[in-house]
Amino acid sequence: MKALTQGRYIGREGEAALFDVGEGATMVVRILEGDIGRVTLRRRDGYRFDRGWSVAPGGLEPPYEGRPRDDVSGFSCPSASLEERDNIVALSAFGLVAEITLSPFGVAWRRADETEPFLCDRPTQAYFLSNRGGALMHAMARDHAERHYGLGDKAGPLDRTGRRFAIDAVDPCGFDAELSDPLYKMLPFFIVDGPRGAHGVFYDTLATGAVDLGCTLDNYHGLFRSWRGDDGDLDYYVLAGPSVPQVVRRFSWLTGGQAFAPRWSFGFACTSMAIADAPDADARISDFIAKCREHAIPCDSFHFGSGYTSIGTRRYVFNWNHDKFPDPSATMARLTAAGIRPVTNIKPCLLDDHPRLKEALDAGIVVKDGVTGKPAVAQFWDGLGFHVDFTNPNGRAWWRGGIETALLDHGVVAMWNDNNEYEIWDEDAIADGDGRPYRQSLARPAQPLLMTKVAFDAQAAGTPGKRPYVITRGGPAGLARYGQTWSGDNETAWKTLRFNLTQGLNMSLSGLFNIGHDVGGFHGPSPGPELLCRFTEFCALWPRMVMNSWNDDGIVNLPWMYEEVIPQVREAIALRYRLMPYLYTQMWRASRDSEPAVRPLFYDFPNDAAIRTVEDAFMLGPDLLVAPVLAQGAQQRHVTLPNHPGGWFHWHDGRHFGGGERVTVEAPLGRLPLFVRAGAVIPVGEPTGISATRELLAFGAGENGRGELYEDDGDTSAWRDGGGTITTFAIARGALTWRSEGRTRAGFDGIPLRRIDGHR
C-alpha cells in the first residue's frame, strides 16, 4: 500500500473541508453534528462502493437499494468555520473541532471547550491505500491508559485492548466464547475510554478487514490502534462523547436505533433442532405443551428449528415436511391456544436439489458468478447451494412470498433468520444491487440486513398496527432497527457463562440492545444439572431468553430435563416474569432513548474506580445489579458493589449493604444473586407469566425514591405516538406520588406498595 503523508488544502465542499492527499485521492472532513465528525476518502476513480445500509440518522430509513455514500440527510450539518494557519487547517462547528495537519497528514479531534484532542491520527503514516487492489488502512495514536469496547459479538474479555479482531463472519458452531474469531457479525465500531473521556469510531464499510486495538507494537510508530479494510472505502465517523453512555446512545441514533419488540417476545422461549428433526416432531410439540403445564413452566414462544423443512436429512427453506407435520396450521393453532407463539427458523441458501430451485434460478434471484453468469456456489450445512440475493427486488419479492404463504398463512408469527453470514467465497460473486451490480465481497453483511428487513416488512404488513418480532444471527451495524440478535451457537461449557457475559455487554455497547444467549449452551455435551441451572439463572435477565440446543448426544435442553433441579430452574424463570414490568420498561427506553437495558457497571458508575474492571456482573437498567454464578460448585457469590449513596439491597432477603462494599451472599441453585440500588421503586408482576398484576417495591425509600413503568397493550406499533403510558413514581416524605403521560389509567391507589428497609 501507499502511505498518504502529504496533504494540500483544496477548499470548501459545502460545510466540509477538502484535501488532496496524493495518489489521486482526496479526503473530505465534515462536522455533521456538534458531537459527530466524519472523514471520507475518495480514490482517483471515485468510491469502490458508493452506498451503504448501516447509517440511518434518527431512524431515517435507507431504501432497499441503499443510502448513497455522499448523502448527509438526517444530519443537521451545522455551519462550520475554517481557519488556516501554519501547516494546519482547523474546521469547527457547534462544539467540535477537527484540526488537520498537512505534513505529515493527519486529523486530530477535540471538543471545543477543551484544549487537548481526544483522538489523534498516528503522526507517522496514518493513512494508506493500495493502487493494485482495494486495501486501505487507518492508524491512530493510542494512550496506554485507554480502554476499548464494542465491535459487536466478538469473544473475550470486556476490555478489548491488546487484541486484533477480524471484521468477517462465519458459522462457528460451538464457538469458544473467549478465543474464537471471527463470529457472526461484521461491526467495525469501537469505543475508546481514557484520560480524555470517551469517544467512538465507526467505519462505514461492509467489506472484510481487521481492527487492531494495540495487538501490534512497532518501534517506529509508538502506541497505536488501526483499522484495515481488504477492499471498499475509508469512511469513518467520530463520536465525541465525552462519556461512554453518550457514545453508545449516539451510535444507536446514527444507525437507526433498536426496534421495540412485542411484550410476549421477552418471555421465556424454547427451541431445539432435535425436536423438529425428530420423525414424531408434531407429537413432540404436543408433549412440550403438556410438559409446560405439568411442570408449571411459563413459555411465551416456541422456535421451530429448521427440521420442519427437511426432506430426508437435508433442509429446504419454505418446505413443510408433512410426514412430521401433517397439518402445519393445526400445529400452530395448538401452540397458539396454549399461549405459545410459533416462530420459525429460515435460512437463505437454496440447496442444489431444492424443490423450488428451478423456479428461483429461472427468476434470476440468487447471487451469481460475474464471470460465468451462473449461480455462485457456496458450501452450506447439508451440501452445496445458492444464496438468495436480497439486493435483487425480485429476490426480495420471492422471499417475502415464501414467508407469507409457507409460514404466516399457517399461523407462524415471527421469523428467525439463521445461517445468514453469506459465506460465498467465490471472488467473482456478483450481487444485483437493485440494477447496479457490485462484487458481493464489497458488502456481504448487507444481505442478512436486507433479509431481516424483508421479514420485518412482511410481518408488519401481515398484522397491521402490530410490532414485528424478527431475529437475525448475522448482519452489520443497523440490524437492531429490525429486530433481535443473540450471541450465537455457544459451547456448552462453564467458561461460556463468563465470556458470554462480556460478549453480551460489548454487543449492548455496540447498539445491539435486544440480545441474549442460548440457555444451557447450544452445542457440545449435554449440560449437567448444575450447569443447566446456572445457565438458566445467567440468562434469566437478558432481553432474549431462549433455551436452544443441538447436543452431541441428541438430548434436548429443556427445563425439566433433570428432575432434581426442576424447582430451581422454575425459580430462575419465575424471577424473569416477576421483573417483567421492569424489563419491559427498560426495553421501551432502549428503543425510545437508545439507552441499553444491559450494560457494564461502569456505565452507571463511571467515577467508581473499584468497579471499572468488574467483568462478572452487569446492570439491568439503572437500578438492578445482576451477579450470576459463573463457577462450577460455587454456592456463594462475592460481589463488589458500586459506591452508591444509600447503598444496595439484596433482592432475595432484603439485606442492606453499603455502597462500595465487597460482599458475600449465599447462592444456592436457582437463586440468581441480585441487588437493588437504594432509592429504587421497582414495578413487578406475577412470577407465573406475563400478567396485568402490578406491585411496587420501594427499596430503602423511607424519605425519597423514584421509579418508572411503561405499559401498553404489548404489541401496538403506536408506542412512539402515545400508544402507551409512562408513569413515574416518587416517594417524598414517605408518601408515594405518581405522574402518567400517554393513555390514562385508573391510577395506582389500588396497587400494593411494599417497602424493603433492610437488615443485617
Side-chain angles (χ1 to χ4, degrees), residues 637-670:
R637 183 62 159 86
H638 308 291
V639 184
T640 300
L641 298 173
N643 191 9
H644 168 61
W648 297 82
F649 289 83
H650 188 223
W651 172 269
H652 297 287
D653 61 20
R655 279 189 299 162
H656 178 262
F657 299 99
E661 286 192 42
R662 174 77 171 172
V663 304
T664 301
V665 295
E666 297 302 312
L669 285 181

Side-chain angles (χ1 to χ4, degrees), residues 260 464-467 588 710 712-713 715-725 743:
F260 187 28
K466 305 295 185 182
R467 301 197 295 266
W588 166 78
Y710 175 78
D712 60 12
D713 61 10
D715 62 5
T716 178
S717 60
W719 61 275
R720 288 189 186 274
D721 304 314
T725 299
R743 293 179 321 195

Side-chain angles (χ1 to χ4, degrees), residues 219-479:
N219 188 50
Y220 302 122
H221 296 291
L223 294 180
F224 69 93
R225 58 181 169 264
S226 64
W227 165 85
R228 179 188 175 104
D230 296 330
D231 204 341
D233 299 282
L234 174 63
D235 185 4
Y236 69 92
Y237 292 76
V238 174
L239 312 181
S243 69
V244 170
Q246 286 171 301
V247 174
V248 172
R249 289 192 292 263
R250 203 51 154 161
F251 181 64
S252 177
W253 177 89
L254 176 67
T255 54
Q258 173 67 61
F260 187 28
R263 182 163 48 208
W264 62 263
S265 70
F266 299 114
F268 175 67
C270 265
T271 181
S272 171
M273 285 180 57
I275 292 178
D277 281 354
D280 60 343
D282 196 53
R284 292 200 183 195
I285 299 295
S286 295
D287 180 68
F288 175 81
I289 296 170
K291 286 291 200 307
C292 286
R293 292 186 182 127
E294 176 186 347
H295 297 294
I297 300 292
C299 182
D300 283 279
S301 60
F302 182 85
H303 298 220
F304 282 76
S306 57
Y308 75 95
T309 70
S310 67
I311 301 174
T313 60
R314 288 155 65 96
R315 297 150 207 276
Y316 304 88
V317 67
F318 302 140
N319 175 72
W320 276 99
N321 183 314
H322 289 286
D323 292 330
K324 291 190 286 190
F325 295 97
D327 186 347
S329 295
T331 305
M332 304 305 121
R334 198 158 65 250
L335 282 163
T336 302
I340 303 173
R341 282 78 169 179
V343 179
T344 46
N345 181 289
I346 51 178
K347 307 180 189 301
C349 189
L350 308 180
L351 293 176
D352 55 11
D353 60 347
H354 193 288
R356 297 179 62 185
L357 180 61
K358 184 178 185 305
E359 169 193 337
L361 296 182
D362 288 346
I365 63 167
V366 299
V367 177
K368 295 180 175 62
D369 184 304
V371 174
T372 67
K374 297 178 179 179
V377 180
Q379 185 66 51
F380 211 58
W381 267 23
D382 303 316
L384 300 178
F386 315 100
H387 283 75
V388 174
D389 186 353
F390 289 96
T391 73
N392 184 329
N394 294 328
R396 296 192 296 266
W398 187 89
W399 191 261
R400 179 164 171 167
I403 289 175
E404 292 169 345
T405 59
L407 301 172
L408 296 180
D409 286 354
H410 282 301
V412 173
V413 299
M415 300 302 117
W416 168 14
N417 298 318
D418 200 12
N419 301 93
N420 56 350
E421 291 74 34
Y422 272 70
E423 291 189 59
I424 305 173
W425 304 118
D426 180 349
E427 65 181 359
D428 295 319
I430 297 290
D432 178 79
D434 280 87
R436 293 191 297 135
Y438 63 85
R439 287 185 298 108
Q440 171 78 4
S441 59
L442 284 169
R444 268 177 53 213
Q447 297 280 8
L449 182 74
L450 295 176
M451 177 187 182
T452 309
K453 178 178 168 66
V454 169
F456 183 95
D457 288 347
Q459 290 174 216
T463 54
K466 305 295 185 182
R467 301 197 295 266
Y469 172 47
V470 186
I471 310 154
T472 183
R473 194 173 73 178
L479 67 84

Side-chain angles (χ1 to χ4, degrees), residues 652-739:
H652 297 287
D653 61 20
R655 279 189 299 162
H656 178 262
F657 299 99
E661 286 192 42
R662 174 77 171 172
V663 304
T664 301
V665 295
E666 297 302 312
L669 285 181
R671 179 180 292 183
L672 172 66
L674 181 64
F675 300 85
V676 188
R677 190 202 297 242
V681 178
I682 306 293
V684 296
E686 292 289 339
T688 54
I690 296 174
S691 70
T693 302
R694 296 289 177 266
E695 183 182 4
L696 299 176
L697 303 182
F699 288 83
E703 291 298 323
N704 298 293
R706 52 104 181 104
E708 65 179 7
L709 171 66
Y710 175 78
E711 293 190 291
D712 60 12
D713 61 10
D715 62 5
T716 178
S717 60
W719 61 275
R720 288 189 186 274
D721 304 314
T725 299
I726 179 66
T727 302
T728 54
F729 303 99
I731 294 180
R733 295 183 295 278
L736 173 69
T737 59
W738 65 87
R739 179 179 175 219

Side-chain angles (χ1 to χ4, degrees), residues 564-647:
E564 64 268 33
V565 295
I566 293 174
Q568 291 86 353
V569 169
R570 186 189 300 117
E571 181 180 350
I573 296 172
L575 176 63
R576 180 180 188 82
Y577 283 97
R578 180 73 164 146
L579 285 166
M580 184 60 68
Y582 178 84
L583 174 62
Y584 189 63
T585 299
Q586 303 313 312
M587 293 311 296
W588 166 78
R589 192 163 288 289
S591 296
R592 193 192 73 163
D593 300 334
S594 290
E595 192 76 74
V598 171
R599 57 253 201 158
L601 270 57
F602 68 75
Y603 189 97
D604 292 275
F605 302 94
N607 299 318
D608 188 345
I611 56 91
R612 169 63 62 181
T613 57
V614 171
E615 299 198 351
D616 60 357
F618 62 91
M619 295 297 296
L620 177 61
D623 296 320
L624 297 183
L625 189 157
V626 186
V629 175
L630 306 176
Q632 185 174 11
Q635 292 293 308
Q636 292 182 324
R637 183 62 159 86
H638 308 291
V639 184
T640 300
L641 298 173
N643 191 9
H644 168 61

Side-chain angles (χ1 to χ4, degrees), residues 497-505 538 542 615-618 628:
L497 294 174
R498 176 187 170 194
F499 288 105
N500 269 174
L501 197 163
T502 49
Q503 181 186 17
L505 291 179
F538 168 71
W542 291 79
E615 299 198 351
D616 60 357
F618 62 91

